[in-house]
């Protein structure tokens, strides 16, 4: 064989390798895209009450405290299910868990469609919280299975931020459909979409790439964890005990708990009522500000992600402290102002609040760096509960404080009552920030030794 023939064969071989790499990458994006459809749907369902809080109060004849209880219970279910969801993921695989989560979301939204009272609505929201809890971690696992390691940081960042599209969907298409077609048609439409996505995931997603030998896959395609099944709960208990002994876990818990809850309270329920009552803006402007915050989430995530990758120690801590401090400052200005703020300040206000979600994601870095690999899922799940727990408590307390002032329905909301209710956020900012500053030096030392 001549040297020319050898070079030609090498070129054909290189082209074949590149072609196979492109084929694998397309397949990875397809799998991730199907999983992301489920996650976007979950975020849409999670935040659907924010854009229609006033409509929900009227339709269900609900007081402020009762309205808060819908989202409060949903967030509590989500938080409680984070660690069990990780164990279920190991047992059944990402495909089955994402599909089950979408079906649970569809069921909850279907119940809300026919709910005419508080009890049925609360039950529906609890089922929504259950379905929501089963989707995010499996999507992250699916990406880790299909994408090359070098692409995972970008894909994981995109997973969290693209999910925010669901909040925009809830503010615009969903709320618009409700105002045009009515309560039942809007929620039934969401329910039907959930069933469709569940079917697509169940039929189209593979837990493992076709080019990788199935790691213990049985005939059903699920991961073969028969030895682990018998010790599922005992292993979970041991894992939880181990991560709770790590100071890095508590550092991560404090970060997640103090950075994100304020924006979350506005996104999930109180954003439109607060802006309409206190700032005197119309529904369109309020919705636009919430959508702007979703866009800023992505901008801040990319900016802070790049900055903290260059300065992983002091840069990350500085971003967290600055975010929490800035949130307290802008809220203080809004709550102490004698009247409505100009629109330009509200834009700046939401730009500051939008730093919370990217900073909350930094909590998962502290959990990963300070815990053993075999309990990484448990550590991540536990840390990820903090923001949801604090959000749930703050949402409930805002409703209770509004009721205590006689603002039991949207017609009775006043700027003074709404401002006073929002003061409940400050203890959580302060406690979380103090906890972070106390634990982060030891977390740094622990991470440097691992």
């Amino acid at each position: 064989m001549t040297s020319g023939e050898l070079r030609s064969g090498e070129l054909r071989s290189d082209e074949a390798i590149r072609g196979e790499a492109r084929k694998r990458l397309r397949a990875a994006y397809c799998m991730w895209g199907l999983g992301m459809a489920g996650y976007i749907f979950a975020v849409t369902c999670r935040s659907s009450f924010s854009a229609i809080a006033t409509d929900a109060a009227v339709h269900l004849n609900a007081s402020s405290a009762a309205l808060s209880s819908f989202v409060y219970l949903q967030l509590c279910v989500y938080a409680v299910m984070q660690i069990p969801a990780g164990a279920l993921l190991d047992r059944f695989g990402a495909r089955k868990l994402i599909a089950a989560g979408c079906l649970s979301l569809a069921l909850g939204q279907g119940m809300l469609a026919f709910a005419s009272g508080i009890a049925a609505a609360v039950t529906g929201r609890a089922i929504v919280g259950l379905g929501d809890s089963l989707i995010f971690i499996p999507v992250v696992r699916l990406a880790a299975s299909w994408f090359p390691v070098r692409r995972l940081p970008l894909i994981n960042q995109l997973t969290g931020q693209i999910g925010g599209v669901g909040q925009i969907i809830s503010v615009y298409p969903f709320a618009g459909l409700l105002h045009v077609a009515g309560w039942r048609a809007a929620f039934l439409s969401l329910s039907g979409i959930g069933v469709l996505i569940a079917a697509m995931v169940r039929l189209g997603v593979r837990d493992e790439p076709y080019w990788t030998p199935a790691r213990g896959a049985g005939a059903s395609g699920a991961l073969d964890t028969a030895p682990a099944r018998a010790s599922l709960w005992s292993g979970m208990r041991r894992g939880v005990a181990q991560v709770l002994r790590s100071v890095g876990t508590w550092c991560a818990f404090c970060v997640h708990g103090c950075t994100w809850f304020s924006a979350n309270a506005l996104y999930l329920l109180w954003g439109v009522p607060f802006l309409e009552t206190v700032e005197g803006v119309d529904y369109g402007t309020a919705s636009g500000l919430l959508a702007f915050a979703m866009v800023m989430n992505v901008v801040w995530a990319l900016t802070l992600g790049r900055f903290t990758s260059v300065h992983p120690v002091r840069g990350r801590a500085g971003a967290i402290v600055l975010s929490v401090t800035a949130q307290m400052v802008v809220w203080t200005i809004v709550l102490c102002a004698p009247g409505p703020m100009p629109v330009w300040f509200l834009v700046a206000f939401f730009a500051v609040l939008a730093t919370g979600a990217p900073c909350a994601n930094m909590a998962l870095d502290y959990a990963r760096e300070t815990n053993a690999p075999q309990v990484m899922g448990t550590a991540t799940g536990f840390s990820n509960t903090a923001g949801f727990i604090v959000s749930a408590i703050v949402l409930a307390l805002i409703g209770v404080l509004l009721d205590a002032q006689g603002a039991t329905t949207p017609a009775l909301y006043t700027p003074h009552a709404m401002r006073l209710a929002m003061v409940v956020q400050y203890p959580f900012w302060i406690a979380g920030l103090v906890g972070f500053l106390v634990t982060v030096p030891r977390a740094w030392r622990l991470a440097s030794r691992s």
Side-chain angles (χ1 to χ4, degrees), residues 264-336:
N264 210 26
L266 297 184
Y267 297 158
L268 293 181
L269 184 62
W270 292 113
V272 171
F274 178 83
L275 290 169
E276 290 179 337
T277 302
V278 176
E279 302 303 332
V281 302
D282 58 24
Y283 177 81
T285 302
S287 300
L289 288 168
L290 292 174
F292 167 75
M294 300 301 101
V295 175
M296 286 304 301
N297 277 346
V298 178
V299 174
W300 282 122
L302 297 176
T303 304
L304 292 176
R306 184 175 181 83
F307 175 72
T308 56
S309 66
V310 178
H311 307 283
V313 178
R314 299 189 184 279
R316 189 192 303 163
I320 291 165
V321 172
L322 185 60
S323 173
V324 175
T325 304
Q327 289 181 57
M328 288 192 286
V329 168
V330 294
W331 265 111
T332 301
I333 295 172
V334 167
L335 297 181
C336 293

Side-chain angles (χ1 to χ4, degrees), residues 183-227:
W183 178 279
R184 182 168 298 179
F187 278 98
L188 283 179
S189 296
L190 273 185
S191 182
I193 292 171
V195 173
L196 177 61
I197 294 175
M200 291 169 56
V201 170
R202 192 70 175 83
L203 295 174
V205 169
R206 290 172 55 109
D207 287 327
E208 299 291 336
Y210 60 83
W211 60 83
T212 302
R215 292 178 292 185
S220 66
L223 298 180
D224 184 6
T225 55

Side-chain angles (χ1 to χ4, degrees), residues 41-397:
F41 177 66
V43 176
T44 301
C45 295
R46 181 196 305 171
S47 56
S48 58
F49 257 45
S50 175
I52 61 161
T54 302
D55 302 270
V58 173
H59 179 82
L60 300 170
N61 192 26
S63 68
S64 301
L67 197 61
S68 292
S69 70
F70 300 151
V71 184
Y72 171 81
L73 181 59
Q74 174 194 340
L75 292 178
C76 284
V77 171
Y78 185 101
V80 168
M81 279 297 298
Q82 281 302 284
I83 295 175
L88 291 171
L89 174 61
D90 292 334
R91 167 66 178 86
F92 294 106
R95 174 172 62 102
K96 291 182 178 179
L97 222 61
I98 295 171
C102 289
L103 288 177
S104 178
L105 288 163
L107 175 61
Q109 299 294 60
M111 292 186 65
L112 283 164
F114 295 96
S116 57
I118 302 298
V122 167
T123 303
R125 290 303 286 183
I127 295 174
V128 167
L130 175 63
D132 189 9
S133 71
L134 299 178
I135 293 181
F136 177 70
I137 297 176
V139 173
V140 172
R141 171 73 67 84
L142 194 66
S145 298
W146 280 82
F147 282 98
V149 173
R150 67 181 183 277
R151 288 183 178 265
L152 281 181
L154 174 61
I155 295 300
N156 288 338
Q157 186 68 26
L158 290 175
T159 297
Q161 301 311 318
I162 291 177
V165 172
Q167 291 176 318
I168 298 177
I169 293 173
S170 69
V171 168
Y172 285 109
F174 173 71
L177 179 61
L178 185 142
H179 293 149
V180 171
W183 178 279
R184 182 168 298 179
F187 278 98
L188 283 179
S189 296
L190 273 185
S191 182
I193 292 171
V195 173
L196 177 61
I197 294 175
M200 291 169 56
V201 170
R202 192 70 175 83
L203 295 174
V205 169
R206 290 172 55 109
D207 287 327
E208 299 291 336
Y210 60 83
W211 60 83
T212 302
R215 292 178 292 185
S220 66
L223 298 180
D224 184 6
T225 55
R229 285 199 288 270
S231 59
L232 178 63
W233 296 110
S234 61
M236 188 188 304
R237 288 194 297 269
R238 288 195 298 271
V240 171
Q242 183 174 343
V243 302
L244 292 183
R245 288 194 295 268
S246 169
V247 68
T249 302
W250 291 106
C251 178
F253 189 87
C254 291
V255 171
H256 205 271
C258 71
T259 51
W260 181 50
F261 71 85
S262 184
N264 210 26
L266 297 184
Y267 297 158
L268 293 181
L269 184 62
W270 292 113
V272 171
F274 178 83
L275 290 169
E276 290 179 337
T277 302
V278 176
E279 302 303 332
V281 302
D282 58 24
Y283 177 81
T285 302
S287 300
L289 288 168
L290 292 174
F292 167 75
M294 300 301 101
V295 175
M296 286 304 301
N297 277 346
V298 178
V299 174
W300 282 122
L302 297 176
T303 304
L304 292 176
R306 184 175 181 83
F307 175 72
T308 56
S309 66
V310 178
H311 307 283
V313 178
R314 299 189 184 279
R316 189 192 303 163
I320 291 165
V321 172
L322 185 60
S323 173
V324 175
T325 304
Q327 289 181 57
M328 288 192 286
V329 168
V330 294
W331 265 111
T332 301
I333 295 172
V334 167
L335 297 181
C336 293
M341 302 298 296
V343 173
W344 67 264
F345 184 85
L346 295 179
V347 170
F349 172 78
F350 277 99
V352 169
L353 293 190
T355 63
C359 288
N361 288 336
M362 296 177 193
L364 307 184
D365 294 329
Y366 286 110
R368 184 186 69 251
E369 293 166 357
T370 57
N371 282 278
Q374 60 268 26
V375 293
M376 198 65 64
T378 302
T380 301
F382 179 81
S383 303
N384 195 43
T385 65
F388 290 94
I389 291 172
V390 176
S391 296
I393 295 172
V394 169
L395 280 164
L397 289 177

